[in-house]
């Protein structure tokens, strides 16, 4: 079966970029991305490509090439499903907040709702592809919903049949376009060979066949959770060692370099920082923990839970050490927070370490001046709702436990006691610490939780400096 029309339900961080690349690489396929969220669809259709709802380097060019040609964004869900040979489910699957499994299990209400919509609106044979990250065996639920709608067409319409595939997405935010254009692998799980080959035929238009892995449904679903658990575990491991480095005089960058040279370990994902964030790692590990508990594997559940616990500990540890270094109190002190996104090159703040660190500091009474080149003030307001107060930071009244949006780095650091780097935006690598020092109150601190600045210059001009995995470096030999 060759695919001519695709519908993707969910125009988020995964659905939007993934479908844009499919449309770009497969000019013979009409791709429609649908969403219930009108504002999001309007933003995807904005003539000004800088206003797309997802910021990803290179995404604007891809959308610019295909939009209106074979890439469409719409809120008309039903006709798009009816016209599709293949429907991707790319809806959100956050952690449940209440009921059975609250705090761990995935909330599958959006998957179920979209499967029901497909069941109701599809026509003819439709291949349904799970693109969202799902607990192992979710395809059973999707299949059950679709089977109930299958028919022989006796009532007048065309016969309705379905095949279900799992095709988890491994893109990383910030590098979504290169990850989609040259994936390490594409994973397709299923038990219907014709459906598997139809999807492989789509990817095969730009991905070499030896990178398209075919597995059974459950292996595919579980591989996605496992990949995220392994990646997050590496971050927690290096962050654990960073704390030990700070205590012993070792340097985490040197340790990471030394161990990464071992080809069995490898160099990637060995960068110490304020902890992992993003919409996926924590939710996927918690989901894994829940599944292990469900199957009675309590020791396995505890093992993976410790990866999340270490991550939370790292964030609280950083907030605590800032307070300690600022003479044990930050009440009423101005602190410049540079970076709020969970990593560079994205405007996504979901589970960003910045949220927990800022909350801790606000609770201690600090006045935070937050600057991020891509994150909008409304987003920060919804992440720090209890304390929001967006005013021009230069003219704000002194306030305890409030945050302010800064429009620039200079705006953020004005009269501040400390600067905390929370996201490794490239522009922070070149900051001129001698100018910044003149704007700040003295003694002035730099806390670089990403080792992403020219901190030796900050030491040279008079800052007290703490760097992740190195500790206080003010008295160290310059390197
Ligand atoms: N963000 C990532 O980096 C990433 C990477 C790999 C996998 N994933 C997984 O992909 C899935 C989607 O993630 P995301 O980051 O794109 O989420 P998102 O929240 O950015 O987007 C999901 C979209 O689905 C829409 N939606 C929900 N129910 C709908 C329905 N019935 N009809 C139409 N639209 C509906 C929502 O309005 C929302 O815009 C999740 O399961 C996630 O775990 C995410």
């Amino acid at each position: 079966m060759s695919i001519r029309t695709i519908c993707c339900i969910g125009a988020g961080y995964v659905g939007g970029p993934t479908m844009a690349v499919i449309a770009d690489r497969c000019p013979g396929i009409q791709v429609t991305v649908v969403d219930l969220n009108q504002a999001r669809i309007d933003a995807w259709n904005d003539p000004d490509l800088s206003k797309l709802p997802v910021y990803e380097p290179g995404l604007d060019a891809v959308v610019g090439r295909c939009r209106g040609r074979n890439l469409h964004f719409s809120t008309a869900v039903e006709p798009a499903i009816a016209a599709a040979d293949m429907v991707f489910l790319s809806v959100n699957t956050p952690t449940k907040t209440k009921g059975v499994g609250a705090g761990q299990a995935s909330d599958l209400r959006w998957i179920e709702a979209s499967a029901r919509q497909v069941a109701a609106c599809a026509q003819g044979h439709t291949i349904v592809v799970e693109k969202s990250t799902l607990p192992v065996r979710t395809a059973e639920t999707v299949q059950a919903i679709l089977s109930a709608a299958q028919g022989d067409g006796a009532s007048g319409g065309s016969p309705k049949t379905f095949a279900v595939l799992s095709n988890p997405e491994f893109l990383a935010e910030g590098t979504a376009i290169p990850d989609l254009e040259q994936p390490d692998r594409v994973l397709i799980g299923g038990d219907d060979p014709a459906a598997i080959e139809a999807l492989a035929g789509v990817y095969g238009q730009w991905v070499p066949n030896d990178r398209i892995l075919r597995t059974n449904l459950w292996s595919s679903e579980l591989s996605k959770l496992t990949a995220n658990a392994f990646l997050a575990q590496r971050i927690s491991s290096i962050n654990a060692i960073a704390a030990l480095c700070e205590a012993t005089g070792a340097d985490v960058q040197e340790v990471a370099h030394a161990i990464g040279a071992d080809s069995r370990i490898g160099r990637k994902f060995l960068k110490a920082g304020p902890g992992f964030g993003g919409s996926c790692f924590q939710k996927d590990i918690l989901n894994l923990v829940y599944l292990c508990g469900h199957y009675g594997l309590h020791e396995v559940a505890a093992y993976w839970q410790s990866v999340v616990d270490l991550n939370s500990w790292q964030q609280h540890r950083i907030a605590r050490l800032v307070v300690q270094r600022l003479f044990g109190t930050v009440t009423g002190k101005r602190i410049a927070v540079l970076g709020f996104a969970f990593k560079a090159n994205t405007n996504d703040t979901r589970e960003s370490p910045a949220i927990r660190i800022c909350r801790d500091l606000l609770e201690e009474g600090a006045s935070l001046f937050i600057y991020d080149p891509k994150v909008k003030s409304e987003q920060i307001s919804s992440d720090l709702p209890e304390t929001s107060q967006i005013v021009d930071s230069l003219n704000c009244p002194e306030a305890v436990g409030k945050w302010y949006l800064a429009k620039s780095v200079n705006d953020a650091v004005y009269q501040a006691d400390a600067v905390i780097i929370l996201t490794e935006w490239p522009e922070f690598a070149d900051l001129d610490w001698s100018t910044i020092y003149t704007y700040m109150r003295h003694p002035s601190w730099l806390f670089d939780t990403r080792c992403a600045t020219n901190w030796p210059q900050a030491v040279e001009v008079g800052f007290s400096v703490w760097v992740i995995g190195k500790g206080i470096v003010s008295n160290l030999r310059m390197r």
Side-chain angles (χ1 to χ4, degrees):
M1 177 183 182
S2 109
I3 302 299
R4 281 165 311 175
T5 44
I6 287 178
C7 165
C8 173
I9 305 182
Y13 282 86
V14 169
T18 308
M19 293 304 125
V21 170
I22 289 181
D24 197 29
R25 297 305 172 118
C26 308
I29 301 180
Q30 285 294 320
V31 180
T32 305
V33 190
V34 294
D35 205 294
L36 301 170
N37 182 333
Q38 182 72 53
R40 211 164 207 188
I41 291 296
D42 290 347
W44 279 112
N45 283 324
D46 200 305
D48 179 352
L49 290 168
S50 72
K51 299 211 170 111
L52 297 180
V54 171
Y55 173 71
E56 279 292 338
L59 175 63
D60 49 355
V62 178
V63 172
R65 276 197 295 275
C66 316
R67 202 176 53 188
R69 181 190 76 184
N70 66 331
L71 176 65
H72 315 278
F73 294 94
S74 169
T75 49
V77 178
E78 294 175 7
I81 294 173
D85 300 323
M86 182 174 270
V87 178
F88 285 79
L89 308 182
S90 189
V91 297
N92 34 322
T93 51
T95 305
K96 273 183 91 171
T97 52
K98 52 187 174 188
V100 177
Q104 286 186 332
S106 290
D107 190 339
L108 297 180
R109 77 177 93 162
W110 292 276
I111 273 288
E112 182 176 334
S114 50
R116 285 184 188 280
Q117 263 172 316
V118 176
C121 305
Q123 290 182 4
H125 184 63
T126 309
I127 299 172
V128 178
V129 183
E130 296 175 345
K131 183 52 100 180
S132 298
T133 303
L134 297 168
V136 58
R137 298 201 79 90
T138 304
E140 236 163 25
T141 309
V142 174
Q143 263 162 347
I145 291 168
L146 298 174
S147 301
Q150 286 202 153
D152 57 8
S155 54
S158 60
K160 219 184 242 199
T161 52
F162 297 99
V164 177
L165 299 175
S166 159
N167 172 225
E169 184 48 61
F170 293 100
L171 68 77
E173 285 179 31
T175 53
I177 299 304
D179 292 346
L180 289 162
E181 290 180 337
Q182 288 129 25
D184 288 343
R185 78 319 207 172
V186 165
L187 182 56
I188 303 176
D191 50 20
D192 175 336
I196 293 173
E197 291 319 309
L199 182 54
V202 173
Y203 285 110
Q205 296 189 43
W206 80 96
V207 179
N209 192 43
D210 60 358
R211 293 204 181 179
I212 302 178
L213 312 182
R214 294 142 170 102
T215 66
N216 77 31
L217 271 169
W218 322 129
S219 304
S220 174
E221 288 178 338
L222 186 56
S223 296
K224 173 63 191 176
L225 291 185
T226 308
N228 275 354
F230 270 57
L231 291 169
Q233 181 239 44
R234 270 174 85 93
I235 296 180
S236 279
S237 296
I238 199 69
N239 283 342
I241 297 302
L244 188 58
C245 287
E246 292 160 28
T248 56
D251 178 326
V252 78
Q253 278 189 309
E254 292 175 353
V255 173
H257 184 71
I259 64 168
D262 185 329
S263 59
R264 293 168 304 176
I265 296 175
R267 296 201 176 284
K268 292 187 177 163
F269 261 69
L270 286 180
K271 200 151 183 343
F276 55 77
S279 67
C280 295
F281 282 0
Q282 174 159 314
K283 122 178 131 58
D284 292 351
I285 299 182
L286 291 174
N287 192 209
L288 199 59
V289 169
Y290 180 74
L291 283 168
C292 294
H294 174 78
Y295 289 105
L297 300 167
H298 300 296
E299 288 75 11
V300 184
Y303 172 72
W304 288 112
Q305 179 65 48
S306 72
V307 171
V308 176
D309 293 345
L310 197 289
N311 197 53
S312 311
W313 173 79
Q314 174 78 339
Q315 294 164 16
H316 291 306
R317 178 175 92 87
I318 287 171
R320 264 199 313 272
L321 73 85
V322 169
V323 175
Q324 274 161 11
R325 294 298 158 204
L326 295 181
F327 308 117
T329 175
V330 291
T331 306
K333 287 183 181 162
R334 297 173 73 130
I335 297 179
V337 172
L338 301 191
F340 201 79
F342 84 92
K343 65 175 178 178
N345 292 321
T346 178
N347 58 349
D348 196 348
T349 65
R350 290 177 289 182
E351 302 294 342
S352 176
I355 298 173
R356 192 172 276 143
I357 294 171
C358 287
R359 277 200 178 142
D360 282 2
L361 292 172
L362 290 166
E363 214 167 287
E364 291 282 344
S367 302
L368 302 183
F369 293 81
I370 303 173
Y371 168 73
D372 187 288
K374 291 288 172 200
V375 177
K376 297 206 166 105
S377 59
E378 305 84 60
Q379 187 56 52
I380 303 177
S381 295
S382 81
D383 292 329
L384 301 174
E386 320 84 324
T387 46
S388 65
Q389 182 164 341
I390 305 162
V391 294
D392 178 348
S393 63
L394 294 178
N395 301 315
C396 73
E398 285 304 326
V400 171
K402 297 267 187 234
W403 68 267
Y404 305 89
L405 184 75
K407 295 190 189 79
S408 65
V409 170
N410 286 350
D411 196 358
V413 301
Y414 179 72
Q415 284 297 303
D417 290 277
V419 177
I420 311 179
I421 307 290
L422 291 182
T423 312
E424 71 285 23
W425 284 104
E427 68 185 74
F428 300 155
D430 307 321
L431 292 175
D432 177 9
W433 291 105
S434 61
T435 309
I436 290 175
Y437 190 68
T438 62
Y439 291 155
M440 291 178 63
R441 204 158 81 126
H442 302 154
S444 315
W445 273 89
L446 165 63
F447 297 92
D448 185 349
T449 73
R450 301 274 187 174
C451 195
T453 60
N454 183 1
W455 56 264
Q457 193 217 357
V459 173
E460 212 170 71
V461 302
F463 276 88
S464 302
V465 178
W466 175 93
V467 181
I468 190 87
K470 298 180 198 289
I472 295 175
V473 292
S474 315
N475 304 324
L476 294 185
R477 181 173 54 86
M478 302 293 164
R479 30 190 115 194

